[in-house]
Amino acid sequence: MPKVLIADKMDPQAARTFRERGVEVDEITGLKPDALAGIIGDYDGLAIRSSTKVTAAILDAATNLKVVGRAGIGVDNVDIAAASQRGVVVMNTPFGNSITTAEHAIALMFALARQLPEADASTQAGKWEKNRFMGVELTAKTLGLIGAGNIGSIVADRARGLRMKVIAFDPFLTPERAVEIGVEKVELDQLLARADFITLHTPLTDQTRGILSADALARTKRGVRIINCARGGLIDEAALKAGLDSGHIAGAALDVFVAEPATASPLFGTPGFVSTPHLGASTTEAQVNVAIQVAEQMADFLVAGGVTNALNMPSLSAEEAPKLKPYMALADRLGGLVGQLTTGAVRGVAVETEGAAATLNAKPITAAVLAGYLRTQTATVNMVNAPVLARDRGLTVREVRTEREGDYHTLLRVTVSTEAGDRSVAGTLFADTAPRLVELFGIKVEADLAGPMLYVVNEDAPGFIGRLGTLLGEAGVNIGTFHLGRRAAGGEAVLLLSVDEAVPADLLARVKALPGVRTAMGLRF
């Protein structure tokens, strides 16, 4: 009988569900890392929330471990790369907390609008400062959503019920989806200038880190109120305090901080500031939901081999897996490539299989493309939930089969439809196992897609490659491989360089400043 350890406090329904499904379970919470390492070798599964850290050292000691289940969304406390290397599946429950987190954002919006925490403290201190706490109505105010995915769309629905005008900034929000959820799609500058309230509902990525920077906060409407129940690091906390102190920002409510647990912060005690200790998912209903879901998923995997909401394993049958896995690796990388290189809203994704690829089950390949593409927007996506997330975002997904062979015996092409037109990338398998890029936005270029890379579009001219190589060499950046393609002599050229370490921002700026460079950006696979 499989055996699972519940290492964090979890609703009792989790243990009950495990046992009902034929899994032995122990509940031992609050273990220090050494103590956990000392017993984890006895277990097939490890169920956690956010307290337990599943590090490479823990995984080294977990000689029998097959699956880690996170009751909740975030998996920052799990070394997924180390788990993958050791063949340990990592699962989460990405949708169990959505309503709870959205409702907490609405609650904090009310708290700011009516100064509820300050009024409560004053009244309970024996004061009766009725004239001190003059609030504002939410009705007819403009709410600006930064991020309009699953949680953001729920907040929009609740806000429209309060008769608020909702505008949203989300580069991946299509016009059709905006109409569906009842929001006006705007650019970030417009949102900052128009919003009376701003709520954030986006993951913390390189693109979103510090999205409300000092400069962005300075461009907000005077008297704005800001709520963050998403991730610490989206807001410059020092600039937020300065805005509150100056009176430009009327109020701010944070459920998340850059450093957690946030036992001290310059924001504490600032007039107009409200804080909660990361309570976004803390309701009875949410805790029950995620506890049952993680137990069901882990039990299904351990008992029957079913895979649901796995972050590092595709959903495949034993018969399909050997043939499909190389294609899914290619699909994932092509999706990640087009996701990193495409800006603006994407309306649809087309996945075309040609030659030998067209004879295979296209669903896992398409799911892998979507997972690679959507992973550039959210860290919790996987092959199982990628189609659901794509549908929620209003993406049209199309599969095309062409059984005749073209230039390659097998080919996979991924095309995204944007407001600026279609953009496509294509790849093949060398020796039926090794993924290889063969075409990028209509330009023939062969390249491995692995590790950190530098992508450059430039004018094809003598001396450019030398100047670029010299610049990188002087900065101590070692080039692993060099791939070049061009439309025609003297026209547009594309460079893809694999590098030992990611190119830092200051060096990337210097690359962009080279004569003839049209675009330069870092990629990661």
Side-chain angles (χ1 to χ4, degrees):
M1 179 183 292
K3 190 175 181 181
V4 166
L5 171 65
I6 297 178
D8 288 334
K9 187 176 180 181
M10 209 170 290
D11 188 90
Q13 295 237 37
R16 192 175 305 131
T17 300
F18 276 123
R19 294 187 179 106
E20 289 173 350
R21 295 186 174 225
V23 177
E24 184 180 349
V25 60
D26 289 336
E27 296 179 83
I28 310 174
T29 61
L31 291 169
K32 299 295 184 184
D34 288 346
L36 177 59
I39 66 171
I40 192 59
D42 296 332
Y43 295 94
D44 301 287
L46 175 62
I48 62 171
R49 285 189 53 75
S50 58
S51 297
T52 298
K53 311 300 180 187
V54 185
T55 62
I58 296 296
L59 289 162
D60 283 339
T63 51
N64 292 314
L65 195 66
K66 301 174 180 63
V67 59
V68 174
R70 164 70 161 97
I73 301 176
V75 288
D76 298 343
N77 54 326
V78 181
D79 189 332
I80 296 178
S84 300
Q85 290 173 356
R86 291 157 178 79
V88 177
V89 176
V90 180
M91 298 176 172
N92 70 344
T93 57
F95 303 113
N97 299 334
S98 299
I99 291 175
T100 291
T101 304
E103 287 185 354
H104 194 59
I106 296 293
L108 291 179
M109 194 188 314
F110 272 112
L112 289 180
R114 302 306 296 269
Q115 303 176 70
L116 298 181
E118 300 97 322
D120 171 72
S122 170
T123 304
Q124 295 204 45
K127 302 176 185 178
W128 193 259
E129 299 177 295
K130 185 173 182 179
N131 293 329
R132 175 186 167 191
F133 300 109
M134 184 61 64
V136 297
E137 292 183 352
L138 298 183
T139 299
K141 297 298 190 297
T142 297
L143 171 63
L145 298 176
I146 297 180
N150 188 41
I151 295 173
S153 63
I154 296 172
V155 171
D157 179 68
R158 304 310 192 256
R160 289 190 298 109
L162 296 170
R163 301 296 187 266
M164 298 184 79
K165 164 72 175 177
V166 185
I167 60 178
F169 166 70
D170 186 330
F172 307 102
L173 176 66
T174 64
E176 294 80 7
R177 178 62 176 165
V179 171
E180 182 181 341
I181 64 175
V183 304
E184 177 188 349
K185 178 178 166 65
V186 298
E187 295 301 320
L188 182 59
D189 282 345
Q190 294 175 273
L191 184 146
L192 298 175
R194 292 172 53 189
D196 301 298
F197 291 81
I198 295 175
T199 61
L200 295 103
H201 304 287
T202 180
L204 183 64
T205 66
D206 291 340
Q207 290 72 38
T208 62
R209 189 181 306 275
I211 192 168
L212 288 188
S213 61
D215 176 65
L217 291 171
R219 288 184 278 125
T220 57
K221 184 176 182 179
R222 184 171 182 82
V224 68
R225 292 170 171 85
I226 299 170
I227 301 98
N228 185 13
C229 293
R231 286 288 183 267
L234 297 175
I235 303 176
D236 183 327
E237 292 178 5
L240 180 63
K241 176 172 173 55
L244 288 166
D245 288 341
S246 71
H248 179 82
I249 299 172
L254 300 187
D255 186 48
V256 290
F257 294 83
V258 173
E260 293 184 3
T263 55
S265 170
L267 285 162
F268 292 169
T270 303
F273 178 68
V274 176
S275 61
T276 51
H278 207 143
L279 297 180
S282 297
T283 65
T284 302
E285 294 86 350
Q287 299 312 304
V288 171
N289 288 341
V290 296
I292 293 175
Q293 287 172 20
V294 78
E296 289 177 342
Q297 292 175 191
M298 293 178 67
D300 284 349
F301 176 73
L302 292 171
V303 175
V307 180
T308 305
N309 290 327
L311 299 172
N312 61 344
M313 180 179 177
S315 178
L316 292 175
S317 68
E319 294 76 16
E320 291 177 312
K323 186 175 291 187
L324 275 171
K325 279 187 175 179
Y327 283 96
M328 289 188 302
L330 173 63
D332 185 276
R333 293 177 196 180
L334 291 179
L337 176 63
V338 78
Q340 292 179 77
L341 294 182
T342 303
T343 59
V346 172
R347 290 190 168 93
V349 178
V351 179
E352 182 177 357
T353 51
E354 181 179 298
T359 65
L360 302 174
N361 178 4
K363 293 300 180 184
I365 295 174
T366 299
V369 168
L370 294 174
Y373 168 70
L374 291 169
R375 198 174 295 117
T376 63
Q377 306 167 27
T378 175
T380 60
V381 70
N382 56 72
M383 283 184 55
V384 176
N385 63 24
V388 176
L389 292 174
R391 186 183 65 234
D392 289 346
R393 291 172 181 267
L395 290 178
T396 300
V397 180
R398 187 164 56 96
E399 295 175 353
V400 181
R401 294 175 183 266
T402 305
E403 293 192 8
R404 59 169 177 76
E405 291 186 9
D407 294 336
Y408 298 89
H409 84 284
T410 188
L411 187 80
L412 176 62
R413 182 181 302 278
V414 178
T415 304
V416 293
S417 300
T418 72
E419 296 173 356
D422 290 350
R423 309 192 83 186
S424 71
V425 298
T428 189
L429 295 178
F430 280 11
D432 291 326
T433 58
R436 185 85 168 176
L437 175 73
V438 296
E439 184 182 313
L440 176 60
F441 300 157
I443 297 177
K444 300 292 184 182
V445 55
E446 292 190 5
D448 295 318
L449 298 175
M453 303 190 78
L454 176 64
Y455 166 76
V456 180
V457 178
N458 64 283
E459 298 172 3
D460 182 32
F464 176 77
I465 293 174
R467 289 192 292 273
L468 177 62
T470 299
L471 179 61
L472 295 178
E474 290 175 346
V477 174
N478 190 45
I479 298 174
T481 59
F482 186 98
H483 311 283
L484 173 66
R486 64 182 184 178
R487 296 189 189 280
E492 186 177 71
V494 168
L495 289 173
L496 273 173
L497 289 77
S498 68
V499 289
D500 291 351
E501 296 180 356
V503 177
D506 59 338
L507 179 57
L508 189 60
R510 292 164 62 192
V511 172
K512 292 178 181 178
L514 287 173
V517 171
R518 298 176 182 175
T519 302
M521 65 185 297
L523 304 175
R524 180 170 288 278
F525 298 92

